[in-house]
Amino acid sequence: MSADGFIQVKDLDLVYMKEGKPFPVIKGLNVNIAKGEFAVLVGPSDSGKTCLLRLIAGFEDPTSGEIFVDGKSVKGPDPSRGYVFQDMVLFPWMTVHQNASFGPKSRGLSEKEVKEVTKKWLDKVGLTKFQEKYLHELSGGMQQRVGFARVMANDPEVLLCDDPLGQLDWVSRETLSNEVLQVWHETGRTVVYVTQAIEEAVYLAQKIYIFAPRPGKIAQILEVKLPEKRWEDKDLRFKKEYYHYVEQLREIITEQASKSKEPVEKGPCSP
Amino acid sequence: MTNVIEATKLKKLFRPDDPSRLLAIDGFDFEMKEGEFVTLIGPTGCGKTTFLRIVAGFEDIQGGQILFKGKPVEAPDAKRGVIFQDIRLFPWMTVRDNILFGVKSRGIKAEEQKQKLKETMELMQLDNEALNMYPDRLSTGMRQRIGVARVLANSPDIILLDEPLNSLDWVTRDYIQTTFLKLWHETKKPILFVTHNIPEAVFVAQKVVVMTARPGKTKSVVNVDLPERRWELRRDNDHYLDLVKTTSRLVEDELSKAREVEKVVGY
Amino acid sequence: MNEIRNRALRAALPHILIWATVAIITLLPDIQAVAIETKVPILAFLVGASVFMTLLLGIGATKIFKKLSITRVLNFYDICSIFLTIVFVWELLANKFPVLDPMIFTCPTRVFQALVVKAPILLDSAISSMFLLVCGYFLGIIVGIVTGIVVGWFKVLFRVVYPVAKLIAPIPPVVYIPFALVLLPSVMYAAIFIIALGAFWPTFANVCFATHNVDRRVIEAAKMLGAKTGTILRRVILPSVLPELFAGIFIGLILAFIMLEVAEMVGASSGLGFYILSQRLLNHYDVVAAIIVVVGILVVICTVVFDYVEARALKWKVRLGA
């Protein structure tokens, strides 16, 4: 395969046991993601993209194969691989501030450091005024900002995002997509992002990795050659060059999906 | 042509027993003719889902009038089929029973039931394997197809869609959009589609109604003069992108008027 | 307009009942002659209640305290109406018409009299009982919470312990009383033990089960953010099972009260349970009724305190319809 990446996945297999029968989810997956890349994973439903993300995060162990991040093998969850969940999975008994500072605190940083880094990230996501509020008092978009802030407060090397904007309304999605891009651009971290919305995939990605139907592997890689600072062009979303990629992606996914029957049962990594 | 839905000066409170509380909808007028495919969009909390629920008969109103085919809406009915965002299949019933639930409840004969099942299965591309399964085991995309199937099996007079494609994968979303476009093209059944996805709203409809921020009123109507065989249209079409832009600007403009609203207890 | 008529009715009802009760007590002849002085406590109570409730209504109407709205006052009124109806009917049937045996179903007048006369002993017994309750209850729930979290967390423990616990839990702690009395140094310790056991099981079961079922993704999120097991148990698992925990310790509270009364009736020489027993043997049913009222009041107080603590602990939870 191609040159060594920052994130390397080698011959990955994931087989679940469901009611005594083996249920293969991922088979022979190989992928290399470069340092600082914004990689987006798309594909038919339950084709293993969320599973792959969870494997990179270390929440699950593969049946066979290996995953390396920055040369080190993945052996369990770690603050260096931050994960943003699809339905946020925040701690509702804590205030916004407590949620955001949980990571730094747990890692044993000094009180001063905890305060500083929490303030920095809450400011960046625009939640300073809402620090003492409880989560149920915030809108979905604001809650997900907390989701990002708490992960970024740990200064991760890799940011893993499982369709984080999927529950939000369209305009919030557009706003937050821009914010995600800006944070990525500023920090230069590697991002692996799963989404169902092809418009969003094209808008965010440098490279789109398209999955084949379950059991999954990467079927195709689509490079998106749009300007780097995409948030600066307010009309980019309505431009033909952007939608040209959207149409291309649409065709690829539809073609991939038609290769096998749509899986009827839901996959094991669905929430 | 008569109006299939007519709403005049609709008013609805979030908490009817406490008049000092928030208005969900205030003075909302809406007209929809037979055979139209209309999408309803607007900023979060503008009342679009509330309005759909009023048309469906799930909510009562505190002012104004809501007519369906000339008669006031009193309660939910098989004639106004609803497809929900959270799907809401009956988990204790198999797929077959879910699809036939409405039909059975209305006492349709067994022969006809079988026919309906066959038709809807073909339409939603379900095969026999799924029929005896229980909803919990199925993927979200599959579940929503069944959600659509059970409504279509009931032959409704109007189909009301409440953000049905939100959490679906692209392939299922595309498929259901195409199914409704083709269905509408053949039968010209009126369809009211509530969504917050602006490109989608423009892609499926003939008319896009944009609502103001809460309490919602009609802000403006965008006529979508794209070909009728919409499912054949490529999305990098200039006119389509132009319409998406216009509609987006309208919604964004409305959002800038409403401050960043904290989550409202309600819907 | 219907709404206003409804509210007026609800507001008037308790007062109507109060004064109707006053009327029948003072005007109707008694079946078993009751001295005037005996009637004083209940009359004083009823009149006082009427004044107090009118005051509440006034506060509610003028909106002096935000938390005390008319709606809340009327809800309180509804509860009072139920009790007052019971008192009214009871008085009628026990002392004014020969329906209920006046010996056993002592009329409210006598019960109130007993409450006043026996007040010192009642207070003493109440304190004795509450002491046992508090010791036993907190012992039971603390052990229940800690063991619940530990067994729920460690999969091996859960697999082994939980099925066994499910089998043993339904055994009523009362059957252990003979052993408790023999093995523990005194009756007091035995009573505390039985009460603790009553509070322990529902707490343990709820906390254990809830811990076992915590959304795995919440734990994943905590691990991903860098938390170690200790932090996870304290700052993530425990808060996250609080709703089920409170459900469990509430049942534990009810059981603790039951165990308390049983324990006192079986072995103690003080406390409300013991007092009920002794008075019953003397056929003083009016005092028995008075003791029941006292127990009822204690339970209500405990429940109100419990609800308050629960509401504060769970203030982060969205309540539908709140």
Side-chain angles (χ1 to χ4, degrees):
Chain A
M1 281 255 94
S2 56
D4 284 352
F6 189 65
I7 300 178
Q8 276 181 291
V9 177
K10 286 199 170 130
D11 296 322
L12 196 68
D13 276 354
L14 184 64
V15 179
Y16 268 97
M17 291 309 280
K18 202 172 181 177
E19 290 156 11
K21 283 190 295 214
F23 188 85
V25 180
I26 294 176
K27 203 168 156 66
L29 187 103
N30 281 288
V31 77
N32 281 297
I33 297 171
K35 188 163 179 176
E37 183 182 316
F38 199 125
V40 175
L41 311 179
V42 298
S45 74
D46 297 324
S47 48
K49 19 186 220 305
T50 302
C51 283
L52 175 62
L53 211 70
R54 287 175 57 84
L55 286 165
I56 299 176
F59 295 146
E60 318 257 1
D61 291 320
T63 315
S64 74
E66 288 187 280
I67 302 178
F68 296 97
V69 173
D70 199 14
K72 289 172 279 196
S73 179
V74 167
K75 288 238 177 303
D78 192 84
S80 67
R81 279 166 277 123
Y83 197 97
V84 182
F85 294 83
Q86 191 177 43
D87 22 9
M88 289 134 217
V89 190
L90 298 166
F91 304 134
W93 56 88
M94 294 187 190
T95 60
V96 165
H97 183 93
Q98 287 168 332
N99 266 286
S101 62
F102 182 81
K105 256 201 191 156
S106 301
R107 284 166 44 224
L109 296 181
S110 75
E111 232 185 88
K112 184 161 167 287
E113 287 174 312
V114 170
K115 242 179 140 172
E116 259 178 48
V117 76
T118 312
K119 183 176 181 325
K120 172 180 165 201
W121 282 104
L122 283 179
D123 282 349
K124 260 212 197 322
V125 297
L127 287 176
T128 325
K129 274 196 308 170
F130 301 93
Q131 277 187 79
E132 297 307 316
K133 298 261 183 211
Y134 285 95
L135 300 174
H136 72 261
E137 300 175 81
L138 303 180
S139 68
M142 292 160 86
Q143 285 184 27
Q144 195 55 296
R145 287 197 176 97
V146 179
F148 276 103
R150 73 170 178 179
V151 161
M152 296 308 293
N154 269 339
D155 196 25
E157 289 183 330
V158 177
L159 186 59
L160 304 164
C161 306
D162 183 12
D163 201 7
L165 311 182
Q167 311 275 355
L168 308 179
D169 64 283
W170 195 252
V171 184
S172 295
R173 282 182 92 148
E174 294 191 342
T175 318
L176 263 114
S177 302
N178 283 331
E179 290 177 23
V180 170
L181 276 179
Q182 283 171 285
V183 166
W184 166 70
H185 188 84
E186 253 182 61
T187 59
R189 304 293 177 207
T190 316
V191 179
V192 185
Y193 192 103
V194 169
T195 181
Q196 302 279 27
I198 57 176
E199 296 94 345
E200 187 172 87
V202 171
Y203 191 75
L204 295 171
Q206 293 182 301
K207 277 205 183 132
I208 303 179
Y209 297 79
I210 300 133
F211 272 65
R214 192 164 74 204
K217 58 165 81 173
I218 310 287
Q220 238 177 301
I221 302 178
L222 178 66
E223 239 186 278
V224 177
K225 296 198 169 74
L226 289 171
E228 218 181 81
K229 296 193 185 172
R230 292 171 200 176
W231 61 90
E232 290 182 339
D233 182 355
K234 295 251 182 288
D235 280 351
L236 182 62
R237 290 179 191 278
F238 314 115
K239 290 198 170 145
K240 202 156 175 158
E241 48 174 317
Y242 165 70
Y243 258 95
H244 179 69
Y245 279 108
V246 174
E247 246 338 271
Q248 230 185 316
L249 185 57
R250 178 170 174 252
E251 278 168 18
I252 298 174
I253 295 185
T254 315
E255 194 201 313
Q256 281 303 321
S258 67
K259 287 208 174 129
S260 82
K261 222 175 49 152
E262 153 123 16
V264 168
E265 289 185 42
K266 71 175 166 197
C269 294
S270 314
Chain B
M1 223 190 269
T2 48
N3 283 336
V4 66
I5 299 177
E6 196 170 313
T8 338
K9 295 201 176 26
L10 265 190
K11 180 170 152 176
K12 177 159 180 70
L13 293 161
F14 272 124
R15 298 268 297 272
D17 57 333
D18 193 348
S20 67
R21 294 296 204 106
L22 292 164
L23 284 160
I25 297 180
D26 192 11
F28 183 62
D29 296 318
F30 182 88
E31 248 178 40
M32 183 171 157
K33 299 194 181 19
E34 283 283 0
E36 281 190 323
F37 194 145
V38 177
T39 51
L40 185 60
I41 63 174
T44 317
C46 67
K48 52 192 191 293
T49 296
T50 311
F51 176 66
L52 189 102
R53 288 173 59 86
I54 292 173
V55 173
F58 299 139
E59 307 277 352
D60 54 5
I61 50 181
Q62 280 80 49
Q65 201 187 42
I66 176 80
L67 299 174
F68 176 71
K69 290 194 157 177
K71 295 206 200 76
V73 170
E74 316 249 286
D77 198 301
K79 293 208 186 71
R80 282 164 279 130
V82 181
I83 295 167
F84 300 94
Q85 182 177 22
D86 47 359
I87 309 166
R88 297 191 205 175
L89 296 179
F90 301 126
W92 59 89
M93 290 187 193
T94 59
V95 167
R96 173 193 281 108
D97 290 337
N98 264 288
I99 297 177
L100 291 178
F101 177 79
V103 165
K104 272 192 189 154
S105 305
R106 291 186 303 127
I108 307 285
K109 293 200 210 53
E111 267 305 304
E112 228 187 291
Q113 279 182 33
K114 251 177 143 163
Q115 180 66 11
K116 288 269 175 204
L117 185 65
K118 192 160 162 287
E119 279 171 15
T120 42
M121 275 171 65
E122 254 182 61
L123 191 64
M124 300 311 299
Q125 282 193 342
L126 302 166
D127 47 25
N128 289 320
E129 179 200 349
L131 276 186
N132 288 321
M133 293 177 98
Y134 285 93
D136 273 356
R137 295 183 61 161
L138 305 174
S139 62
T140 320
M142 206 35 97
R143 299 215 301 269
Q144 190 58 298
R145 286 184 204 225
I146 296 160
V148 173
R150 70 174 175 181
V151 164
L152 295 180
N154 246 355
S155 306
D157 287 343
I158 185 173
I159 306 179
L160 306 167
L161 297 116
D162 182 12
E163 306 201 39
L165 310 181
N166 270 355
S167 37
L168 301 183
D169 61 285
W170 174 249
V171 175
T172 311
R173 166 179 240 148
D174 197 36
Y175 186 76
I176 297 182
Q177 278 178 11
T178 309
T179 307
F180 276 106
L181 282 170
K182 287 187 178 163
L183 179 77
W184 173 74
H185 181 74
E186 270 168 57
T187 64
K188 289 292 193 290
K189 213 183 269 274
I191 300 179
L192 180 61
F193 192 114
V194 168
T195 180
H196 63 70
N197 183 327
I198 298 169
E200 175 177 84
V202 174
F203 190 76
V204 299
Q206 300 177 288
K207 221 166 83 170
V208 178
V209 175
V210 182
M211 284 178 81
T212 61
R214 174 170 40 98
K217 291 191 183 30
T218 306
K219 181 185 172 74
S220 116
V221 175
V222 177
N223 280 309
V224 180
D225 47 347
L226 290 167
E228 250 191 37
R229 295 178 67 91
R230 206 66 65 79
W231 61 92
E232 295 172 344
L233 184 74
R234 274 181 67 99
R235 276 156 227 250
D236 52 358
N237 171 294
D238 284 316
H239 188 43
Y240 168 66
L241 292 178
D242 222 17
L243 287 166
V244 174
K245 186 171 169 181
T246 315
T247 315
S248 285
R249 293 287 180 247
L250 284 168
V251 177
E252 278 162 31
D253 176 55
E254 206 37 48
L255 254 170
S256 64
K257 291 199 186 129
R259 291 165 298 132
E260 167 91 78
V261 183
E262 283 162 39
K263 188 160 163 210
V264 173
V265 176
Y267 300 107
Chain C
M1 282 305 111
N2 247 354
E3 172 121 9
I4 297 192
R5 199 188 62 170
N6 277 343
R7 289 181 150 203
L9 272 170
R10 287 167 67 193
L13 192 59
H15 297 283
I16 296 173
L17 287 165
I18 287 176
W19 292 104
T21 317
V22 170
I24 62 170
I25 291 175
T26 48
L27 299 173
L28 289 184
D30 307 318
I31 291 187
Q32 263 192 346
V34 178
I36 304 289
E37 307 88 59
T38 321
K39 299 194 182 183
V40 168
I42 191 171
L43 290 173
F45 172 77
L46 287 170
V47 172
S50 189
V51 169
F52 174 68
M53 292 177 73
T54 314
L55 210 70
L56 277 181
L57 198 63
I59 296 178
T62 54
K63 300 193 174 73
I64 301 179
F65 293 117
K66 253 208 215 143
K67 287 243 171 118
L68 207 60
S69 63
I70 279 276
T71 322
R72 286 202 174 184
V73 174
L74 285 180
N75 286 342
F76 176 68
Y77 263 49
D78 290 340
I79 300 173
C80 292
S81 295
I82 297 175
F83 281 114
L84 290 164
T85 312
I86 295 175
V87 170
F88 176 73
V89 171
W90 184 5
E91 180 74 29
L92 212 56
L93 299 180
N95 210 19
K96 307 297 173 189
F97 293 101
V99 177
L100 294 172
D101 181 353
M103 186 63 168
I104 300 171
F105 295 95
T106 333
C107 58
T109 313
R110 287 188 195 273
V111 174
F112 272 88
Q113 169 72 350
L115 277 170
V116 168
V117 167
K118 304 284 184 186
I121 311 178
L122 287 170
L123 194 62
D124 249 353
S125 310
I127 293 174
S128 171
S129 294
M130 286 310 290
F131 174 73
L132 291 179
L133 183 80
V134 165
C135 290
Y137 181 64
F138 280 100
L139 176 64
I141 64 172
I142 290 172
V143 175
I145 292 170
V146 172
T147 49
I149 292 183
V150 170
V151 173
W153 175 256
F154 294 103
K155 293 193 183 31
V156 175
L157 278 181
F158 186 81
R159 248 206 311 269
V160 168
V161 174
Y162 194 69
V164 174
K166 264 186 94 171
L167 280 175
I168 303 182
I171 301 176
V174 276
V175 310
Y176 301 122
I177 290 181
F179 282 105
L181 286 171
V182 165
L183 292 170
L184 290 165
S186 77
V187 174
M188 186 186 86
Y189 283 106
I192 291 178
F193 173 72
I194 298 296
I195 294 168
L197 206 55
F200 170 79
W201 282 117
T203 309
F204 172 76
N206 267 36
V207 172
C208 184
F209 196 71
T211 304
H212 181 73
N213 285 332
V214 168
D215 184 355
R216 65 173 178 173
R217 294 173 310 155
V218 172
I219 300 173
E220 285 169 358
K223 284 187 178 165
M224 175 272 296
L225 291 167
K228 303 282 184 296
T229 309
T231 314
I232 295 179
L233 288 176
R234 271 183 307 115
R235 292 191 67 200
V236 176
I237 300 286
L238 179 58
S240 139
V241 302
L242 276 182
E244 291 89 341
L245 187 153
F246 271 97
I249 66 175
F250 183 69
I251 299 172
L253 183 64
I254 297 173
L255 288 179
F257 262 105
I258 296 174
M259 293 305 134
L260 168 70
E261 298 314 327
V262 171
E264 284 181 334
M265 287 185 187
V266 166
S269 56
S270 69
L272 292 168
F274 166 75
Y275 197 26
I276 287 185
L277 213 61
S278 68
Q279 290 303 302
R280 203 208 69 176
L281 292 171
L282 292 169
N283 273 333
H284 290 166
Y285 282 96
D286 52 344
V287 185
V288 171
I291 302 170
I292 294 175
V293 168
V294 171
V295 173
I297 292 173
L298 287 175
V299 171
V300 168
I301 293 175
C302 286
T303 313
V304 167
V305 171
F306 187 94
D307 282 347
Y308 177 72
V309 173
E310 184 184 16
R312 285 205 58 183
L314 297 183
K315 64 175 178 254
W316 48 268
K317 217 166 153 56
V318 185
R319 281 161 202 283
L320 294 166

